[in-house]
Amino acid sequence: MDLAVDLQGITKRFGAFTANSGIDLAVRRGEIHAIIGENGAGKTTLMNILFGLLQPDEGRIALNGKAMVIDSPAVAIAEGLGMVHQHFKLVPSLTVADNIFLGMEIRRNGLIDRAAQIERTRVLSQKFGLRVDPSERVAGLSVGIEQRIEILKVLARDARTIILDEPTAVLTPQESRDLFATLRSFVDDGMTVIFISHHLEEVMEVSDTVTVLRDGKVVATRPKTSLSKRELVRLMVGRDVSFDRRPRGPVDGKAALEIADLWARDDRRLPMLKSASLTVRSGEILGIAGVAGNGQTELAEVLSGLRPPSHGSVRLHGQEVLGLAPAQIRARGLAHVPGDRMVRGVDRNASLSANMLMGRQDKAPFSHRGILSWATAHAEMRALIKRFDIRARGPKDPARSLSGGNIQKVVLAREFTAGGDVLLIDQPTRGVDIGAQEAIHDEIMRQRDQGRAILLISTQLDELAALADRILVMFDGRIMGEVDGEAMDEEAIGLMMAGVDPATPVDPSTGIDPIGAAAAPAFPRPPASEEVR
Amino acid sequence: MKTLPLPSGLLRTLAGQALAFVIALALGAVIILMIDESPVAVFMTLMRGAFGDAEKIAGTLLQTTPILICGIAACIGLRGGMFNVGIEGQLFLGGFAAAWVGFAFSLPPVLHVLVAMLLAVVAGAAWVAIPAFFRVRFGTNEVVSTILANYIATLLTSYFTIFLFKRPGGWSETPPILESAYLPELFSFSRLNIGLLIGIALAIATALFFRWTAKGYAVTMVGSAPKFAEYGGINVRKVGFGVLLVSGAVGGLAGGVETLGVHHRFMEGFAPGFGFDGVIAALLANGSPIGTIFTALFFGALRAGSLLLEVDTTASREIITVIQALIILAVSADLLMRRRGDRTGERRWKF
Amino acid sequence: AEKVHVAAISGYFAQGFGVSIVNGLNKAKTDFGIDLKLVDTGNRALDYEEQFANLAKSGQYDLIFVMGWELVDALQKVSAQYPNQRFVFIDGVLDSKTMIYANFAEEQGSFIAGALAGMVEDLGPKFDKIGEGKAIGFVGGRDIPVIRNFLGGYEQGAKYAAPDVKVNSVFAGTFDDPAKGSELAMTLYGQGADIVYNVAGPTGEGVMQASATADKYSLGVDIDMCASAPGNVLASMLKRGDVAVYAIIKDEVEGRKVTPGTRTFDLASGGVEVKMCEDVAAKLPAEIKAKLETIHKDVADGKIKIARAK
Amino acid sequence: MEVLGSLFNVALLVATIRTTTPILLVALGGSFTTKAGIFNIGLEGQMLIAAFFAVIGSIYTGSSVGGLVIGVAAALVFALVYAVLVVSFRANEVVVGLALNILAGGMTISLMKAIFGTRGSIVGRGIVGLPKVQVPGARDLLGFNAAQLISGYTPLVYVAFLAVPAMLLIYGRTRLGLYIRVVGEKPEAAEALGISIARVRYTASLLCGLMAGLAGAHMSLGYITMFTENMSAGRGFMAVAILIFSAGDPLKVLAGCLLFGFADALSLRLQTFGFPSYLVLAVPYAVALVALFALSWRARPKTIRETLETMRRALSVSPERESSSTRS
Ligand SMILES: Nc1ncnc2c1ncn2[C@@H]1O[C@H](COP(=O)(O)OP(=O)(O)OP(=O)(O)O)[C@@H](O)[C@H]1O
Ligand SMILES: Nc1ncnc2c1ncn2[C@@H]1O[C@H](COP(=O)(O)OP(=O)(O)OP(=O)(O)O)[C@@H](O)[C@H]1O
Ligand SMILES: [Mg+2]
Ligand SMILES: [Mg+2]
């Protein structure tokens, strides 16, 4: 057999945690080989080992039939391997051409020959149909273009085997389709593609062979044709799962959270939230769908007081809260599960109790006249560990010793018990295993049934389909339209996520553009926020 | 290698520090040999100079006091994520302010001390206020701004001392403070005064504050995870500003203690280097106030020991500076710590 | 006779006056075979008292020489605790009655140096390296009383010799930054000064070197600095610490036990003197040398009274 | 007017060039580490140790070049220790930097005492200083006054100022410069392309040591010809301050150093007009501090300004919503 990549018995441990355990992977030349698995299954780790960014503790690697020790990406690159990383690795202050030729600069008389690099980039770009402006700086380019640059970077190194780690997570469905066409053309040219995803549809659409990872082990490697979607899910998760819609009663509460004509800028000071208006009622789950980086983060941050708004109004139970400090907004009844849990949600080095204490360090029974009662905090944390089924040894464990999913549960536990009756939940199950996902969904439904108003931001449509009463779709900082949760039309949502207007946009009525967004250049989306720092 | 559970992790840290220590001492011994002295004699003299008798021990504690208080000032900043390297300047201003109250006003005994201390504290806080403001408002690097402020503070206090308040006919120093402003001494045979107790009490109070109060919790969180703290409703800027002010205030207090407890006046070149020693003591103790008691004691012992060294051997006292620097370097390398998998390294210091 | 044990303690052994003291001590050591211990105080006021106590407590030193005003408080305290220990305080007189004082009249020497500078200025451009306007300069280390005393003598001397001469004085704020000393001197030369007197330790060395760069004149201090910038150093105002300590130790060694009291080392007794540099002196008109002799005599005799700075 | 004339003249510019040079050399060295993402507070120590060994080297080899080489070598050793601890051992860069500063101070004094039997300063004793370079024809072409500006300095003065364009070229056009920038800005990107972060940071540290070494040698063999305790006198710390607000860009470093050098030269002059020395001596530090504050103040409030501005616009359009946007 003609193998481009042959991994045998790869094992990688991070401390006591085994991320890859005895993995065998054989990738034939000229195929698209998908690797799928849950978050944390070990996909990125495996690819980093293959690419020389990590060293395996055990196992053997052979490329193109040659046994190799890949102790640096340089070795992998020399052997014709290229990798497009899950988190892009471009240097913002450099131009597109500089980025592409970084590490293999074209030089004349010892100096970098910029003109030649730009020319070569242009040629490459044309040859592969990946359009970029070679002399533009990368800072400020959209994610889609950044991805093109990453692919060009790989191609410029004459890669014959390309690894793409979750390339579609930040793309719209349409952009994804373009990418797949490009990948196909690569394979037609005799190249090999390894493609990581946990989106079943994509895998079924483009791959020739599928390898499924679970808990750091290979559970199956099969030709796609022999697989059904249902089987794939079972392999990934280890049992049948259905994101069936949760049963629910009617919504009849009063308006708890009202947002009107809200505008805000992102970190680059570009308008990123444009005239958003919405209302969430008590006992209702309002879902926000959209590709990551379309203003959802900004919306959540403005609501919780973490980002200065430019304009608009936010009312909690009829009271204006826009512009108040986070603590004041919390005091008025908003609880917030942040999307970026490692940075915003916890202090990784603090104990679980200390993490639970955040926001209530001034309140009884945890503190009396400013003196903390750690005993109470530990007791409370112990109770939460039980109630939310958090896998931890005890309340004094540092947060960093927990897995991502369990850290998420700590955050949820804290926020759900914080006493707020409006819950702002951003990506509740990102990086959470399936079992825990169900538990979290149960908990969210329980909160709804208790009459809380819930604003649920998620990039996973099936999650929204299972939970939301209504779904709004965001694109480019605007709310594109609304879909009823009962009869969710995925096609319509997909179009709106890609910026296609279903009918008329929601509220351009006033015609006012208070922050000059219209005048601003078509501005790019920031890359998806990095989850682990 | 497996991750070891906490106790043995601590053990390894301690073993690592001990190893670092031994290496530093060995290097120090080599250097001592190079300058033609016997390392054994030098180390023995150091020990005798630091702990030889009650007076020597008191001398060690006397040296420890300002390092300790400055170290606590640094710890407070470090806990809140602020790197106050300007303690030296705060010390000078605090020292001057206390002296001024001490000689310019005549007050009843206890009150006099309290007022002088209060002004020292205010002066220290005021001196860090502008760097602190720019740090929290505009992100101006506090390390650099406080270092620059040190130079200005030293020159400014010299100016006050020599041009405005010079003791007539004397060296460049202010008039002596009145006896009512003296800090009580602990023993008849030493200048050691209740400043040491103030320092230890402050260390314990600071440790308790961080561990057991809601405010201390907020400061710790701002220091270790500022975005999390912000999200949790803590006013990060206010806390950061407050932390620097308090850190500066404690730096000023250190100056006040030196003035009222030891020198009983302010003079040019009043207490050079104690601010930096304090910062390093705090860093070596990893920002722990209790740990700083021990690192400060260690530095104090080295300094006190070196005074005898100069008299009893021909080695220069500066050899102590060399050994001290070697120890800091060796300890900072954390020899037995496992290096993490990521090779990109930290961009900024972390505690 | 018994061997004499001597200790000396100061933070300034590395600087001009301190160097001359060390020279005197070493000479005494060679000549008399005394036991000598030098202790450097460093710059932390907190340390001084322990350092004195360490020396005094050992009881083995017949005489302990002390130099530096910042040590005064610690010295007086320890001296009170060990009244039998004889301390020799160099360069000043304190209240304590149990100490020996070696006092220098640096204002007298500086007066002569100033007078010399004034007279050379008076020669005007017809003398090598002297410019139009009559201006001379002074670079001090830190702005402290002793240095002011030098400056005072220098100014009085210059005005005495040439009433219309302008004296520009600056301070480096430190004794340890020769680069700054050089820059200050360059500034003074640039502003028309032809002769600059330094009283600034290592900082002053920068002044001497600057006089070579600018090709103007400088005046050295404490020790003979003619070699620092040959051809550009007019003279050095020597403050003979070496003479003083040597004389005191000599008395002790020869059995004339040194007792508490003040010994003054002035122009008359050779404690301060102005040493001309040969190369430049050779070019000076004879009448200047003669006049300088007269002034020297008048100062030494007390005919010319010089105010001390306080 | 006359006062101004005697204050601002060619001599002031010449003095500025002299006072700027040592800081410029050391700050340009720091630029390498800053760009490579290392905060190097140990410049002061590298400079001091180089100044000392340059003098030692000059005495032993009897030549100024020998002194220069040995001084730079000493700074390189310090830079190497710094790199080993910070890059390989991941030690806290501030602790290591401060400790190396202390080490340099203690070592120079101890060695001085061991070698020369005294501490304090080394003057004479056969130290050979660097020669002054007379630019040929400068006086004929430019006249005496202007010629002073470009001629008659020791070689390292020219090196310092020529290093600025050289470093622009290094950062802009060479592979090493590119890698240094990338490693500082986005280490992951470098790592993913097989560029060794450690190697680049070591290189940057050593280049920094080289320049700091030149700065030190300039202090003791060029600016003046002697060594004295602590003779770097805070210039390394000034350089660090300049590096912070210039982010290591050579042109901004030059501007910052000139500003400081000018403030220094000017403050020395102000003394001759009767200002108290202690206050005047604080001027350069105050200038640096104010510059630091002013630049960070300028850099930051854009967000604030913009938000305020958009809010004002929004308010003028829909005044009834006035109460809503009050956060600044
Ligand atoms: N450097 C590291 N140190 C410790 N644990 C790590 C490290 N890198 C990864 N892990 C852990 O290894 C496991 C596998 O991580 P990996 O990134 O390979 O998952 P993945 O399958 O790519 O997930 P995702 O779909 O979220 O990208 C996770 O639990 C992760 O937390
Ligand atoms: N993979 C790498 N990782 C880190 N640094 C590198 C890497 N490759 C080159 N460098 C650094 O970049 C600098 C320039 O390298 P280069 O290969 O251009 O040197 P050179 O061969 O002397 O140059 P030239 O071939 O143009 O004469 C060197 O300092 C080198 O250390
Ligand atoms: Mg991954
Ligand atoms: Mg004196």
Side-chain angles (χ1 to χ4, degrees):
Chain A
M1 223 178 7
D2 194 9
L3 291 183
V5 172
D6 186 12
L7 302 180
Q8 284 177 12
I10 299 292
T11 296
K12 177 71 187 175
R13 297 184 201 90
F14 293 111
F17 177 79
T18 307
N20 284 169
S21 155
I23 288 187
D24 298 329
L25 178 72
V27 180
R28 273 177 296 125
R29 194 176 315 234
E31 71 167 350
I32 297 186
H33 193 121
I35 298 178
I36 68 167
E38 296 266 66
N39 294 116
K43 307 179 294 285
T44 300
T45 303
L46 185 64
M47 291 302 115
N48 282 343
I49 288 172
L50 176 57
F51 196 60
L53 284 166
L54 291 175
Q55 299 309 306
D57 297 320
E58 293 161 23
R60 288 196 307 271
I61 302 176
L63 296 181
N64 304 317
K66 273 188 294 183
M68 321 213 27
V69 175
I70 307 181
D71 50 11
S72 142
V75 177
I77 292 169
E79 197 50 42
L81 218 56
M83 181 157 172
V84 175
H85 297 269
Q86 188 170 4
H87 303 299
F88 295 156
K89 309 210 169 186
L90 298 173
V91 188
S93 75
L94 300 184
T95 63
V96 172
D98 280 347
N99 264 294
I100 287 174
F101 285 94
L102 186 59
M104 48 176 283
E105 299 76 14
I106 304 175
R107 286 181 302 169
R108 210 168 55 190
N109 306 326
L111 296 182
I112 297 170
D113 188 346
R114 286 254 146 66
Q117 292 191 0
I118 288 175
E119 189 44 41
R120 284 271 295 276
T121 304
R122 208 182 303 284
V123 170
L124 267 179
S125 151
Q126 261 155 23
K127 178 170 161 203
F128 291 97
L130 294 164
R131 282 191 38 222
V132 290
D133 176 353
S135 50
E136 202 169 0
R137 280 199 188 207
V138 165
L141 292 180
S142 74
V143 205
I145 297 189
E146 285 188 2
Q147 190 173 56
R148 272 183 226 160
I149 302 170
E150 286 285 7
I151 296 175
L152 281 171
K153 219 158 112 180
V154 166
L155 295 172
R157 285 166 173 73
D158 293 324
R160 301 300 295 162
T161 302
I162 301 181
I163 306 165
L164 295 110
D165 192 352
E166 292 196 37
T168 56
V170 291
L171 301 184
T172 63
Q174 281 74 7
E175 281 174 319
S176 300
R177 226 160 282 149
D178 291 346
L179 173 69
F180 295 149
T182 310
L183 295 186
R184 265 287 146 222
S185 72
F186 289 171
V187 178
D188 294 342
D189 284 350
M191 300 195 318
T192 310
V193 172
I194 302 175
F195 164 70
I196 295 179
S197 177
H198 38 204
H199 286 125
L200 305 180
E201 288 80 4
E202 287 173 10
V203 170
M204 295 307 282
E205 191 179 332
V206 295
S207 62
D208 301 311
T209 310
V210 183
T211 292
V212 184
L213 292 189
R214 188 168 73 228
D215 293 337
K217 296 193 187 70
V218 174
V219 289
T221 298
R222 303 249 196 97
K224 175 185 77 180
T225 44
S226 74
L227 278 168
S228 73
K229 220 162 131 182
R230 187 153 211 85
E231 261 175 301
L232 262 183
V233 175
R234 199 173 33 235
L235 288 168
M236 259 170 80
V237 178
R239 60 184 162 82
D240 281 314
V241 182
S242 60
F243 272 125
D244 288 339
R245 187 159 175 79
R246 304 290 171 126
R248 65 192 62 217
V251 177
D252 51 10
K254 287 197 294 191
L257 173 68
E258 298 160 274
I259 301 174
D261 194 20
L262 190 61
W263 295 70
R265 289 171 185 273
D266 67 6
D267 290 337
R268 287 185 264 177
R269 283 182 260 106
L270 299 168
M272 200 31 152
L273 188 59
K274 303 170 186 171
S275 190
S277 301
L278 58 85
T279 302
V280 193
R281 296 200 277 169
S282 299
E284 178 187 42
I285 299 178
L286 177 64
I288 304 260
V291 176
N294 271 289
Q296 299 101 312
T297 316
E298 285 74 14
L299 175 64
E301 287 182 351
V302 169
L303 290 184
S304 51
L306 295 170
R307 177 178 294 275
S310 298
H311 175 77
S313 154
V314 174
R315 284 165 193 276
L316 270 180
H317 302 300
Q319 250 186 325
E320 182 63 52
V321 297
L322 191 67
L324 297 185
Q328 293 169 305
I329 296 178
R330 280 179 172 270
R332 283 168 174 67
L334 184 90
H336 175 194
V337 177
D340 202 349
R341 63 164 172 262
M342 285 306 192
V343 175
R344 287 277 192 212
V346 289
D347 177 351
R348 288 160 44 83
N349 295 316
S351 69
L352 296 183
S353 296
N355 274 293
M356 183 276 300
L357 209 50
M358 179 56 76
R360 50 190 91 168
Q361 72 270 20
D362 289 315
K363 300 193 181 78
F366 302 106
S367 101
H368 300 282
R369 302 213 190 91
I371 305 296
L372 292 177
S373 165
W374 284 103
T376 316
H378 292 322
E380 170 72 8
M381 192 63 225
R382 221 169 275 127
L384 290 178
I385 287 174
K386 231 180 173 159
R387 177 173 155 201
F388 285 85
D389 188 25
I390 297 167
R391 304 287 160 82
R393 276 174 312 191
K396 293 181 188 170
D397 275 11
R400 80 179 113 80
S401 68
L402 269 58
S403 77
N406 281 302
I407 290 179
Q408 180 71 0
K409 285 198 243 173
V410 172
V411 177
L412 288 166
R414 179 184 66 224
E415 295 304 311
F416 285 176
T417 56
D421 49 11
V422 176
L423 301 180
L424 169 56
I425 307 176
D426 197 356
Q427 315 294 358
T429 57
R430 181 187 280 170
V432 173
D433 67 71
I434 267 297
Q437 279 187 17
E438 278 194 292
I440 289 170
H441 287 178
D442 288 346
E443 192 62 42
I444 293 176
M445 283 309 290
R446 205 170 304 136
Q447 298 292 327
R448 175 190 182 276
D449 296 341
Q450 284 168 11
R452 299 209 156 125
I454 300 174
L455 185 62
L456 175 67
I457 299 173
S458 176
T459 46
Q460 280 161 302
L461 288 184
D462 39 7
E463 180 164 78
L464 293 172
L467 296 176
D469 293 299
R470 292 180 292 135
I471 300 167
L472 301 179
V473 184
M474 283 191 80
F475 173 78
D476 194 17
R478 290 179 192 280
I479 292 175
M480 299 298 291
E482 182 178 319
V483 181
D484 186 11
E486 277 314 327
M488 196 176 101
D489 177 353
E490 285 211 26
E491 189 59 26
I493 293 186
L495 281 174
M496 287 192 271
M497 280 168 68
V500 179
D501 209 329
T504 42
V506 163
D507 183 33
S509 53
T510 54
I512 303 169
D513 173 8
I515 59 174
F523 61 86
R525 279 168 283 137
S529 57
E530 282 178 44
E531 196 188 339
V532 185
R533 177 128 290 265
Chain B
M1 234 200 289
K2 287 204 322 204
T3 35
L4 297 163
L6 206 75
S8 65
L10 184 69
L11 208 67
R12 195 170 53 194
T13 310
L14 287 180
Q17 308 269 332
L19 179 67
F21 219 79
V22 171
I23 291 177
L25 289 185
L27 279 175
V30 170
I31 292 182
I32 293 169
L33 280 174
M34 268 164 55
I35 59 166
D36 260 355
E37 275 285 332
S38 145
V40 178
V42 167
F43 288 131
M44 291 309 290
T45 311
L46 276 179
M47 287 303 288
R48 244 181 335 114
F51 304 109
D53 56 39
E55 270 181 54
K56 294 276 188 269
I57 294 173
T60 293
L61 295 176
L62 181 68
Q63 296 277 349
T64 302
T65 305
I67 303 176
L68 173 59
I69 302 181
C70 290
I72 296 165
C75 281
I76 293 172
L78 294 180
R79 269 300 179 98
M82 294 290 173
F83 210 149
N84 179 7
V85 194
I87 295 170
E88 185 92 6
Q90 293 136 26
L91 173 93
F92 269 66
L93 276 158
F96 180 81
W100 181 65
V101 174
F103 67 73
F105 300 90
S106 148
L107 294 169
V110 178
L111 184 68
H112 204 171
V113 170
L114 290 180
V115 172
M117 282 296 189
L118 182 72
L119 202 71
V121 163
V122 169
W127 191 245
V128 82
I130 296 176
F133 172 78
F134 277 88
R135 171 65 173 80
V136 299
R137 197 77 188 82
F138 305 113
T140 312
N141 186 308
E142 76 278 13
V143 177
V144 174
S145 62
T146 52
I147 283 185
L148 289 176
N150 281 344
Y151 289 99
I152 302 178
T154 313
L155 289 165
L156 193 65
T157 50
S158 288
Y159 171 74
F160 287 155
T161 306
I162 293 162
F163 282 80
L164 304 182
F165 296 105
K166 197 174 89 66
R167 174 177 127 201
W171 154 252
S172 16
E173 62 190 22
T174 64
I177 62 173
L178 305 180
E179 286 209 21
S180 55
Y182 284 16
L183 283 185
E185 288 182 356
L186 293 177
F187 308 107
S188 57
F189 54 80
S190 164
R191 290 174 293 165
L192 186 62
N193 54 71
I194 63 163
L196 176 71
L197 304 184
I198 294 178
I200 291 172
L202 206 57
I204 295 170
T206 309
L208 291 178
F209 171 80
F210 286 131
R211 180 88 180 89
W212 289 104
T213 70
K215 289 245 156 37
Y217 170 85
V219 170
T220 308
M221 283 298 158
V222 167
S224 68
K227 294 220 149 173
F228 176 45
E230 183 191 19
Y231 150 88
I234 297 171
N235 188 334
V236 174
R237 286 181 173 179
K238 211 163 109 184
V239 168
F241 189 68
V243 156
L244 270 178
L245 278 197
V246 172
S247 173
V250 174
L253 179 77
V257 164
E258 282 305 279
T259 299
L260 305 185
V262 182
H263 303 305
H264 301 149
R265 68 215 147 100
F266 185 88
M267 59 278 202
E268 210 198 1
F270 159 70
F274 282 116
F276 279 104
D277 282 1
V279 169
I280 292 170
L283 284 172
L284 278 187
N286 213 4
S288 147
I290 301 297
T292 304
I293 297 180
F294 296 99
T295 49
L297 182 65
F298 173 62
F299 283 2
L302 266 184
R303 292 217 145 264
S306 74
L307 298 180
L308 189 64
L309 187 69
E310 184 102 22
V311 172
D312 278 13
T313 73
T314 56
S316 159
R317 224 157 25 81
E318 303 304 327
I319 201 70
I320 291 316
T321 321
V322 173
I323 293 174
Q324 191 178 339
L326 289 174
I327 289 172
I328 296 166
L329 288 176
V331 171
S332 77
D334 243 344
L335 294 165
L336 291 189
M337 250 260 295
R338 244 175 337 116
R339 302 294 141 201
R340 281 291 210 74
D342 76 307
R343 280 170 285 181
T344 52
E346 301 276 355
R347 284 299 307 274
R348 205 166 185 250
W349 49 89
K350 266 232 168 80
F351 304 98
Chain C
E2 252 179 71
K3 191 164 187 175
V4 173
H5 298 267
V6 169
I9 175 168
S10 170
Y12 297 113
F13 287 141
Q15 297 171 7
F17 185 51
V19 169
S20 99
I21 289 173
V22 173
N23 290 343
L25 291 168
N26 282 331
K27 183 155 181 275
K29 186 177 175 181
T30 331
D31 292 0
F32 308 129
I34 57 162
D35 182 57
L36 174 63
K37 172 88 222 167
L38 292 183
V39 177
D40 177 56
T41 58
N43 60 355
R44 283 190 175 180
L46 186 57
D47 299 348
Y48 303 152
E49 216 173 293
E50 262 81 16
Q51 288 170 316
F52 283 121
N54 278 336
L55 284 173
K57 207 185 323 177
S58 73
Q60 56 173 305
Y61 296 107
D62 300 299
L63 292 171
I64 298 175
F65 290 88
V66 180
M67 197 264 280
W69 273 91
E70 67 278 18
L71 306 177
V72 159
D73 285 77
L75 171 62
Q76 283 176 314
K77 214 165 148 196
V78 175
S79 161
Q81 276 164 19
Y82 299 91
N84 294 329
Q85 173 70 54
R86 281 175 299 156
F87 287 100
V88 185
F89 185 68
I90 300 174
D91 207 13
V93 180
L94 314 177
D95 301 332
S96 169
K97 296 277 178 281
T98 58
M99 275 187 260
I100 301 139
Y101 301 102
N103 199 14
F104 289 84
E106 63 254 355
E107 73 281 4
Q108 293 184 346
S110 297
F111 185 94
I112 309 289
L116 172 62
M119 287 186 291
V120 172
E121 272 303 313
D122 251 350
L123 295 174
K126 68 176 189 278
F127 191 69
D128 187 30
K129 309 190 215 300
I130 298 293
E132 283 294 342
K134 284 192 196 170
I136 59 175
F138 175 93
V139 175
R142 290 204 302 245
D143 193 352
I144 53 176
V146 194
I147 308 294
R148 284 269 170 197
N149 200 34
F150 279 89
L151 173 58
Y154 180 62
E155 277 177 331
Q156 293 171 57
K159 301 274 185 206
Y160 180 85
D164 54 344
V165 76
K166 206 171 146 243
V167 184
N168 253 338
S169 61
V170 291
F171 293 87
T174 161
F175 287 104
D176 294 335
D177 192 347
K180 184 163 257 166
S182 153
E183 212 48 67
L184 281 167
M186 292 303 280
T187 304
L188 291 172
Y189 291 130
Q191 291 176 345
D194 303 303
I195 303 164
V196 175
Y197 181 31
N198 90 82
V199 188
T203 301
E205 189 61 36
V207 175
M208 308 304 287
Q209 295 189 4
S211 67
T213 307
D215 200 21
K216 298 277 183 179
Y217 290 112
S218 53
L219 287 162
V221 76
D222 293 335
I223 50 174
D224 186 347
M225 292 185 164
C226 296
S228 288
N232 295 93
V233 187
L234 214 49
S236 295
M237 197 296 271
L238 305 187
K239 194 166 161 185
R240 302 297 300 262
D242 52 345
V243 170
V245 294
Y246 189 84
I248 292 171
I249 294 173
K250 187 161 191 252
D251 281 359
E252 182 75 17
V253 170
E254 291 174 355
R256 297 183 295 277
K257 199 164 156 42
V258 182
T259 49
T262 303
R263 294 187 176 204
T264 300
F265 295 88
D266 56 9
L267 212 52
S269 64
V272 294
E273 71 177 77
V274 171
K275 182 170 178 299
M276 304 285 289
C277 297
E278 303 287 341
D279 40 9
V280 184
K283 290 187 246 167
L284 277 179
E287 72 260 29
I288 288 195
K289 290 183 201 161
K291 232 164 116 189
L292 207 61
E293 287 290 313
T294 325
I295 297 176
H296 191 289
K297 204 164 157 294
D298 288 350
V299 172
D301 295 350
K303 267 197 211 136
I304 297 178
K305 289 256 177 291
I306 306 162
R308 282 187 71 100
K310 272 290 156 196
Chain D
M1 207 57 236
E2 192 199 335
V3 171
L4 283 182
S6 61
L7 198 53
F8 297 96
N9 48 29
V10 175
L12 177 61
L13 294 182
V14 173
T16 301
I17 288 172
R18 279 195 308 259
T19 48
T20 302
T21 303
I23 308 170
L24 182 59
L25 278 169
V26 69
L28 287 176
S31 159
F32 285 115
T33 44
T34 306
K35 286 271 185 199
I38 316 172
F39 182 71
N40 189 353
I41 204 165
L43 294 173
E44 182 87 5
Q46 295 183 359
M47 206 172 153
L48 185 63
I49 203 81
F52 178 75
F53 276 98
V55 161
I56 300 286
S58 170
I59 293 172
Y60 280 103
T61 64
S63 94
S64 55
V65 177
L68 188 70
V69 169
I70 290 173
V72 168
L76 285 175
V77 170
F78 262 55
L80 186 66
V81 172
Y82 179 83
V84 168
L85 291 171
V86 169
V87 179
S88 298
F89 280 96
R90 299 284 165 75
N92 180 312
E93 25 197 276
V94 178
V95 176
V96 175
L98 287 177
L100 284 175
N101 288 344
I102 297 174
L103 185 64
M107 238 172 99
T108 48
I109 297 174
S110 299
L111 287 175
M112 209 178 341
K113 201 161 166 185
I115 297 173
F116 299 98
T118 68
R119 47 180 290 179
S121 31
I122 316 171
V123 199
R125 297 186 194 259
I127 308 174
V128 186
L130 291 162
K132 293 201 163 56
V133 178
Q134 299 298 339
V135 177
R139 196 166 287 198
D140 304 331
L141 277 172
L142 300 167
F144 177 75
N145 259 342
Q148 276 184 295
L149 283 175
I150 62 156
S151 185
Y153 301 101
T154 48
L156 291 175
V157 176
Y158 301 98
V159 170
F161 284 88
L162 293 177
V164 174
M167 284 181 60
L168 283 174
L169 186 75
I170 289 175
Y171 288 136
R173 295 294 303 280
T174 70
R175 175 188 282 196
L176 178 63
L178 182 70
Y179 287 5
I180 288 177
R181 281 165 59 201
V182 170
V183 163
E185 184 176 343
K186 189 119 179 195
E188 312 90 276
E191 190 189 18
L193 293 171
I195 297 170
S196 154
I197 293 171
R199 195 168 132 197
V200 170
R201 290 206 165 137
Y202 266 90
T203 312
S205 282
L206 290 176
L207 283 172
C208 172
L210 170 73
M211 296 294 283
L214 291 178
H218 174 69
M219 285 301 295
S220 63
L221 296 180
Y223 206 154
I224 37 164
T225 315
M226 68 181 291
F227 176 82
T228 188
E229 287 177 34
N230 246 329
M231 76 182 295
S232 47
R235 289 176 178 87
F237 282 124
M238 282 304 310
V240 172
I242 289 166
L243 285 168
I244 294 275
F245 58 71
S246 65
D249 289 343
L251 283 179
K252 289 189 194 154
V253 167
L254 175 65
C257 292
L258 280 172
L259 175 71
F260 177 73
F262 180 76
D264 202 6
L266 186 66
S267 74
L268 297 178
R269 258 141 231 267
L270 286 179
Q271 260 199 66
T272 59
F273 293 94
F275 293 97
S277 62
Y278 287 96
L279 293 185
V280 165
L281 290 167
V283 165
Y285 302 108
V287 166
L289 203 52
V290 169
L292 185 64
F293 289 150
L295 286 174
S296 55
W297 182 79
R298 246 175 53 106
R300 194 53 190 275
K302 245 193 203 156
T303 337
I304 297 164
R305 246 190 288 134
E306 240 166 59
T307 307
L308 280 177
E309 177 193 313
T310 57
M311 276 169 48
R312 217 177 297 119
R313 253 202 284 169
L315 291 176
S316 66
V317 175
S318 44
E320 77 275 13
R321 293 205 188 101
E322 208 151 356
S323 62
S324 66
S325 334
T326 42
R327 192 158 175 221
S328 61

